[in-house]
Amino acid sequence: AAYGNVITVECMGKVTAISDIARITFSVNEEGDTAKEAQDKAAKKINATLEVLKNDLGIDEKNIKTTSYYMSPKYSYPAPCYNGFCPDRYEQEIVGYTTSQSIEVKVRDTDTVGDILSTLGDTGIENISGPSFTIDDPEALKAEAREAAIKQAREKAKELAKDLNVRLVRVTGFWENTGGYYPYAEKAYGLGGDVAVSSIAPELPLGENEVVVNVSVTYEIR
């Protein structure tokens, strides 16, 4: 559109790319009569699993991180009072502790995801979520989409200036909106939820991811 001595054009740049990393999350929940017992049981299971991930599957330590860790007491639930009679031990008591730790694994070799899921199942890990396939560097895709949108805007402005019989002088305004980052092949989301892992590594299509950038460029005209 043309307004006084400027014109403004809006264009969209879109880039698609195959997922290049996968994220797998698993958690361990252990109970014990004491806090230390619960912590030790969880640590033993986590450490054994991390040993397999790093030494047997070649996952770099920098791609393994704890996403949550908590310990909470377990309470008894005494019987309620009936007809004015209350049990001798009416108040809640701590009867044990629960320790929970969640680990996220970033897998850069996506061809090994199925083997990793199977191996986690073999180590006794029951709470597995993922894989979630994504792009390791979405900013690079965003820059590429932005470049494409700006190029389209420049060409569109030139055509509009020609139709209006005016000359483009300089850019006086720029606005950008990143429309989003969409894994649009459904299977690329991973298995989701808790995964029942078999000894046969599953086939997991990666799917494509799409980045959309919308730009609005204002040019001074004469």
Side-chain angles (χ1 to χ4, degrees), residues 173-214:
F174 176 82
W175 171 86
E176 173 189 330
N177 176 47
T178 302
Y181 171 47
Y182 311 104
Y184 62 84
E186 184 175 352
K187 290 185 179 179
Y189 296 151
L191 301 182
D194 291 337
V195 181
V197 182
S198 68
S199 59
I200 301 176
E203 293 185 11
L204 301 169
L206 299 182
E208 290 185 326
N209 301 269
E210 181 179 282
V211 171
V212 175
V213 174
N214 295 283

Side-chain angles (χ1 to χ4, degrees), residues 5-9 154 157 161 167-174 217-222:
N5 62 341
V6 299
I7 57 174
T8 299
V9 292
R154 185 184 302 116
R167 178 171 59 89
L168 299 178
V169 179
R170 61 189 176 93
V171 174
T172 60
F174 176 82
V217 186
T218 299
Y219 291 87
E220 178 185 354
I221 58 174
R222 291 181 185 173

Side-chain angles (χ1 to χ4, degrees), residues 9 11 149-159 168 219:
V9 292
C11 287
I150 292 174
K151 181 178 180 181
Q152 293 178 40
R154 185 184 302 116
E155 295 301 320
K156 187 174 180 180
K158 288 180 180 179
E159 293 178 5
L168 299 178
Y219 291 87

